[in-house]
Amino acid sequence: MIDSIVFETGDLKAMNPSFRRNLINCLSGFKGANLIGSINKDGGTNLAIFNSVMHIGANPALMGFVLRPLTEQRHTYNNILETRYYTINSVQYHFMKQAHQTSAKFPENLSEFTEVGLAEEFKLNFAAPFVKESKIKMGLELVETIPIKSNGCMLIIGEVLHIDIPEAVVAADGFVDLQQAQVLSILGLDAYYATQLVGRMDYARPGIPLKELSLS
Amino acid sequence: MIDSIVFETGDLKAMNPSFRRNLINCLSGFKGANLIGSINKDGGTNLAIFNSVMHIGANPALMGFVLRPLTEQRHTYNNILETRYYTINSVQYHFMKQAHQTSAKFPENLSEFTEVGLAEEFKLNFAAPFVKESKIKMGLELVETIPIKSNGCMLIIGEVLHIDIPEAVVAADGFVDLQQAQVLSILGLDAYYATQLVGRMDYARPGIPLKELSLS
């Protein structure tokens, strides 16, 4: 038998805040590692790492991310409201430290691109900056901001207008081999992981034994 | 140079729906692998795999997940509305196939626990069933259902009331070593991944070189 701990509501309320923040941030599981690039109306750029980018729908192609409460300046959010366009760029191992360093609280007049040493890339006639070092990039337009009443966070939803991706990692059925693209995963607030495929499963049907799919 | 493909809005609209579903589902990155356990007012249980469980906040401890549009029966959602309580259980390698098989469309009067061969566990005085095989389990109470107007999905938010977790995987600072707990990650709709830590980063500060944290 494994020794297990049980935390109840009362334990959570009484918990050291930093311990609780680490614990709860880990429990939902592994997350995507993405940099959001944005620009204000004066051309000042911003780059910030997010571990909350999520798939919302495929048609229209929608991505969401969770914004913490507006109790402090949120440069990414302000920029997106001002100019409506932003980019989502996957994080690879070779620039993991620069990516994490974007979470430092830089003053608004400094660009994280310059401060951490990642390159802005303007292309595809798109208003917001992509991250040149990133292998998988999306350009999005804001479509919906949804308040989460329970804790003052917001779910920000954008429509994917551009996708820029290495041809070699897109399988014949549309699956994207992020392991081959060396995209990292985040756990909690600060841990970065490489991944190893253990199996791709066929569409499940009642009473039919599950088959594994090949990757390509 | 790597050959890259660019998909624009028009390409996405014209794309084969199955190709588009795989592509867009992969682009947000790696996701958590979780089973949601629920029960209706007559005691019928339900178990369903979700790749959209996300951290919403630590205090109060809140988790969200995305529910597809209500154009077909959503047993998990109906149960949660009826009884308000549900469980989130992490997916490990040794029951990955059973976990994926819960995505088959079983009739409402059958329980996925029985159909796929996972064990219901009622404990901690909690109304909803946990998954006995799972190492990391949470019991939640529904607190908010949020419509996403852009595509008819919903964000379902619950407060974490119970956490049941092996003591050995909780670090002194609250970080949870999900790799050691053999928790899998999902990519897209159907691919399961093991993970390998590449580094845990210290809290980032402007102008200060980033340090790595130890795991324990």
Side-chain angles (χ1 to χ4, degrees):
Chain A
M1 279 299 289
I2 295 165
D3 282 332
S4 73
I5 324 177
V6 172
F7 297 112
E8 308 277 351
T9 319
D11 304 321
L12 289 172
K13 305 275 183 222
M15 206 171 255
N16 171 286
S18 163
F19 185 97
R20 180 175 53 213
R21 192 161 48 241
N22 280 323
L23 178 74
I24 304 298
N25 265 280
C26 288
L27 290 180
S28 57
F30 294 97
K31 301 180 263 203
N34 290 287
L35 286 162
I36 297 186
S38 62
I39 188 165
N40 66 25
K41 61 178 167 12
D42 303 319
T45 59
N46 187 277
L47 189 66
I49 194 161
F50 279 85
N51 63 13
S52 62
V53 172
M54 74 195 81
H55 170 84
I56 297 291
N59 187 30
L62 301 172
M63 297 284 160
F65 69 94
V66 176
L67 193 83
R68 309 312 309 163
L70 298 174
T71 46
E72 51 184 276
Q73 279 289 322
R74 304 288 173 194
H75 302 156
T76 298
Y77 176 65
N78 294 344
N79 289 352
I80 292 175
L81 282 190
E82 261 184 40
T83 62
R84 316 288 295 176
Y85 296 98
Y86 57 106
T87 67
I88 297 179
N89 310 266
S90 67
V91 175
Q92 280 84 58
Y93 178 71
H94 68 282
F95 61 95
M96 171 180 87
K97 289 193 175 177
Q98 292 97 312
H100 188 76
Q101 186 63 19
T102 63
S103 63
K105 292 192 172 78
F106 295 102
E108 190 175 3
N109 64 331
L110 297 180
S111 171
E112 288 81 5
F113 281 101
T114 318
E115 296 303 309
V116 309
L118 290 170
E120 290 177 8
E121 185 179 43
F122 285 95
K123 64 175 182 182
L124 302 173
N125 255 325
F126 198 66
F130 295 93
V131 176
K132 190 174 171 64
E133 290 81 355
S134 172
K135 286 191 184 162
I136 298 175
K137 312 171 201 194
M138 293 181 271
L140 297 97
E141 179 176 7
L142 176 66
V143 294
E144 196 173 351
T145 62
I146 307 176
I148 298 173
K149 294 195 187 96
S150 312
N151 72 346
C153 285
M154 256 190 296
L155 177 64
I156 310 293
I157 296 183
E159 181 171 352
V160 180
L161 303 182
H162 303 281
I163 299 166
D164 184 349
I165 188 169
E167 197 165 358
V169 303
V170 182
D173 69 355
F175 180 77
V176 183
D177 187 345
L178 294 188
Q179 177 184 339
Q180 191 194 329
Q182 298 180 288
V183 174
L184 297 177
S185 172
I186 295 183
L187 176 58
L189 294 162
D190 50 27
Y192 293 80
Y193 287 80
T195 60
Q196 174 69 47
L197 182 74
V198 292
R200 197 174 163 209
M201 299 292 140
D202 201 358
Y203 187 82
R205 292 178 173 83
I208 312 267
L210 199 57
K211 281 183 302 195
E212 294 203 23
L213 292 176
S214 75
L215 245 202
S216 56
Chain B
M1 281 298 288
I2 294 166
D3 283 329
S4 72
I5 325 179
V6 173
F7 298 111
E8 308 277 352
T9 321
D11 304 322
L12 291 172
K13 303 276 183 220
M15 207 172 254
N16 170 287
S18 164
F19 185 97
R20 180 175 54 213
R21 191 161 50 242
N22 279 323
L23 178 74
I24 304 299
N25 265 281
C26 287
L27 291 179
S28 58
F30 294 97
K31 302 180 263 203
N34 290 287
L35 286 163
I36 298 188
S38 62
I39 188 166
N40 66 24
K41 60 178 166 14
D42 302 320
T45 59
N46 188 277
L47 188 66
I49 192 159
F50 280 85
N51 63 13
S52 63
V53 171
M54 72 195 82
H55 170 85
I56 297 291
N59 187 30
L62 300 173
M63 298 282 161
F65 69 93
V66 176
L67 193 82
R68 310 313 308 165
L70 298 174
T71 46
E72 51 184 275
Q73 280 289 322
R74 304 289 173 194
H75 302 156
T76 298
Y77 176 64
N78 293 344
N79 290 352
I80 292 175
L81 283 190
E82 261 184 39
T83 62
R84 316 289 295 178
Y85 297 97
Y86 56 104
T87 67
I88 296 179
N89 310 266
S90 67
V91 175
Q92 280 85 55
Y93 178 70
H94 68 284
F95 61 95
M96 172 180 86
K97 289 192 176 180
Q98 292 95 312
H100 188 76
Q101 185 64 19
T102 63
S103 62
K105 293 192 171 80
F106 294 102
E108 192 174 3
N109 63 329
L110 297 180
S111 170
E112 288 80 5
F113 281 101
T114 318
E115 296 303 308
V116 309
L118 290 169
E120 290 176 10
E121 185 179 44
F122 285 96
K123 63 175 183 184
L124 302 173
N125 257 326
F126 199 66
F130 294 93
V131 176
K132 189 173 172 64
E133 290 82 354
S134 171
K135 286 191 182 160
I136 298 176
K137 314 171 201 196
M138 293 182 270
L140 297 98
E141 179 176 7
L142 177 68
V143 294
E144 197 174 351
T145 61
I146 307 177
I148 299 173
K149 295 195 188 96
S150 311
N151 72 347
C153 285
M154 259 191 295
L155 177 63
I156 310 294
I157 295 183
E159 181 172 353
V160 181
L161 303 182
H162 303 281
I163 299 166
D164 184 349
I165 189 169
E167 196 165 1
V169 303
V170 182
D173 68 356
F175 180 77
V176 183
D177 188 345
L178 293 189
Q179 176 184 340
Q180 191 194 328
Q182 299 181 288
V183 173
L184 296 178
S185 171
I186 295 183
L187 175 58
L189 294 163
D190 49 27
Y192 293 80
Y193 286 80
T195 60
Q196 174 69 46
L197 183 75
V198 293
R200 197 174 163 208
M201 300 292 140
D202 201 358
Y203 187 82
R205 292 177 174 82
I208 312 266
L210 198 57
K211 281 184 300 196
E212 294 203 24
L213 293 176
S214 74
L215 246 203
S216 56

